[in-house]
Amino acid sequence: MKATFCALMLAALPAMAAEETAVRGELFCSVERRVVLPYPGTIAAIPADVGQDVKQGEPLLQWMLSRRARAELEQLVSPVPLAAAEAEAASLEAESDEARAAAEEAERLAGEKLGTRRQAELAKSRAAALDRRLAAARERVAFERRQRESGLTWLRETLGVAEPEKGVPETATLPAPVDGTVIWISGDARPGVEWDPSAPLLTIGVMDPMIVRAHVHELDVVKLKVGDRAEMTLLARPDVTLEGTIRRIAWAPFPHWLPEPSYFEVELAVPNPDRALRQGYKVNVQFGGGPAE
């Protein structure tokens, strides 16, 4: 019985695929990144504007770090811990060399009956202990070097500091994390405002391609597959016709009351080279165009 039902469903799919399905969808950026300040500070200038295209690393905002933030960052990239670790390792290396030479001499004297075996063993133990301390000191040097390099890289990439080795500046820049378009800036963001890192500051979106998300009834979603085309019209501009391609079909429905039918999310990619489409636009989606060529 089950096999017969499945065979009937499969036989019906070509006829179902020929039918068209119309749903309402909404446009979203294909990638969206919220940008926040990494430390508390005061906004100095906002060179970026809504609708502006930006490249990764370009300055979005200039801000003055708080005293506490500067102190933390200066400690993060300070060369003092690394210099202290290197000095300790150099001192231990000299001691270790002397101890190994002394152990070899004690072993030679013990072999010539000019010294005791006990003295040779003690010299070896001291040399081994210094070798262990030297290994630990070298690990600390490597750790401090990684910490400082990580801090310097963080200052370059996150705060836009060109030469962090020279110190932490009072005013830093907030670089764009990705290529995209500034789609939102907080209305409270203006020069002179003290900004908390927990508050969203601005949002960058990748607008080419845009994506359309639509909820499709279970009886219609079985007709669709990834790669199928769909025609769309903007609710605000019915005269504009778009074409998109299905790139994802959800395998699980949205939560719903059990007696109600299930709806599955379908996601389509839509080219937007001229940035004419914006996030939030509603579109009428007409499936049934077949696979993309």
Side-chain angles (χ1 to χ4, degrees), residues 26-27 210-212 229-235 237-245 268-274 276-278 281-287:
E26 184 174 344
L27 281 162
M210 297 289 282
I211 60 173
V212 172
R229 293 174 298 155
E231 288 190 354
M232 289 166 274
T233 55
L234 294 174
L235 192 64
R237 291 282 308 277
D239 57 313
V240 177
T241 302
L242 311 173
E243 185 174 287
T245 305
L268 305 97
V270 183
N272 186 31
D274 57 358
L277 305 179
R278 296 188 182 183
Y281 280 1
K282 298 295 191 293
V283 294
N284 295 316
V285 186
Q286 190 82 24
F287 296 105

Side-chain angles (χ1 to χ4, degrees), residues 9 19 22 40 82 118 138 152 164 197 218 251 264 269 276:
M9 286 296 294
E19 299 175 5
L82 176 58
R118 174 66 176 169
R138 285 172 175 168
L152 293 173
E218 59 184 295
W251 281 63
F264 294 78

Side-chain angles (χ1 to χ4, degrees), residues 76-79 82 144-152 165:
L76 180 66
V77 298
S78 172
L82 176 58
E144 294 293 349
R145 184 174 290 115
R146 287 195 303 271
Q147 286 290 95
R148 185 162 189 264
E149 286 300 323
S150 176
L152 293 173
E165 298 85 356

Side-chain angles (χ1 to χ4, degrees), residues 110-169:
E112 296 176 359
K113 307 300 183 183
L114 298 175
T116 65
R117 178 55 56 186
R118 174 66 176 169
Q119 289 174 328
E121 293 298 328
L122 287 175
K124 283 184 180 179
S125 297
R126 183 174 182 275
L130 282 170
D131 283 343
R132 289 193 293 271
R133 289 179 59 192
L134 176 59
R138 285 172 175 168
E139 288 182 3
R140 185 190 166 199
V141 169
F143 172 78
E144 294 293 349
R145 184 174 290 115
R146 287 195 303 271
Q147 286 290 95
R148 185 162 189 264
E149 286 300 323
S150 176
L152 293 173
T153 301
W154 193 88
L155 281 178
R156 291 190 196 98
E157 296 180 354
T158 308
L159 300 186
V161 180
E163 297 178 313
E165 298 85 356
K166 295 183 178 180
V168 181

Side-chain angles (χ1 to χ4, degrees), residues 11-278:
L13 281 178
M16 296 168 65
E19 299 175 5
E20 293 188 345
T21 300
V23 295
R24 177 68 57 81
E26 184 174 344
L27 281 162
F28 295 87
C29 293
S30 52
V31 176
E32 189 174 316
R33 289 283 294 271
R34 291 187 178 182
V35 182
V36 298
L37 286 185
Y39 286 95
T42 303
I43 297 174
I46 308 177
D49 199 2
V50 173
Q52 176 181 337
D53 290 340
V54 293
K55 294 291 185 181
Q56 183 177 5
E58 287 185 358
L60 300 172
L61 174 140
Q62 295 175 349
W63 56 295
M64 294 179 289
L65 289 83
S66 66
R67 289 184 179 179
R68 181 174 179 178
R70 285 195 68 201
E72 291 180 5
L73 291 171
E74 286 172 352
Q75 184 178 4
L76 180 66
V77 298
S78 172
V80 174
L82 176 58
E86 289 175 337
E88 182 184 5
S91 175
L92 284 171
E93 188 170 4
E95 285 187 58
S96 182
D97 290 342
E98 291 177 2
R100 279 195 296 271
E104 291 173 1
E105 180 66 13
E107 184 67 26
R108 185 185 66 80
L109 292 174
E112 296 176 359
K113 307 300 183 183
L114 298 175
T116 65
R117 178 55 56 186
R118 174 66 176 169
Q119 289 174 328
E121 293 298 328
L122 287 175
K124 283 184 180 179
S125 297
R126 183 174 182 275
L130 282 170
D131 283 343
R132 289 193 293 271
R133 289 179 59 192
L134 176 59
R138 285 172 175 168
E139 288 182 3
R140 185 190 166 199
V141 169
F143 172 78
E144 294 293 349
R145 184 174 290 115
R146 287 195 303 271
Q147 286 290 95
R148 185 162 189 264
E149 286 300 323
S150 176
L152 293 173
T153 301
W154 193 88
L155 281 178
R156 291 190 196 98
E157 296 180 354
T158 308
L159 300 186
V161 180
E163 297 178 313
E165 298 85 356
K166 295 183 178 180
V168 181
E170 292 185 2
T171 302
T173 61
L174 190 65
V178 293
D179 294 353
T181 304
V182 179
I183 61 173
W184 176 81
I185 297 178
S186 172
D188 296 326
R190 57 182 64 89
V193 172
E194 291 185 0
W195 202 265
D196 189 272
S198 63
L201 185 57
L202 55 86
T203 302
I204 295 177
V206 176
M207 300 184 68
D208 186 22
M210 297 289 282
I211 60 173
V212 172
R213 294 193 180 107
H215 299 168
V216 182
H217 193 281
E218 59 184 295
L219 296 180
D220 295 319
V221 79
V222 296
K223 311 172 191 176
L224 307 177
K225 63 181 182 298
V226 173
D228 283 353
R229 293 174 298 155
E231 288 190 354
M232 289 166 274
T233 55
L234 294 174
L235 192 64
R237 291 282 308 277
D239 57 313
V240 177
T241 302
L242 311 173
E243 185 174 287
T245 305
I246 297 177
R247 72 176 195 178
R248 184 179 66 86
I249 301 175
W251 281 63
F254 283 90
H256 60 288
W257 188 44
L258 192 60
E260 295 179 345
S262 296
Y263 284 84
F264 294 78
E265 185 174 82
V266 176
E267 186 174 288
L268 305 97
V270 183
N272 186 31
D274 57 358
R275 308 296 192 276
L277 305 179
R278 296 188 182 183

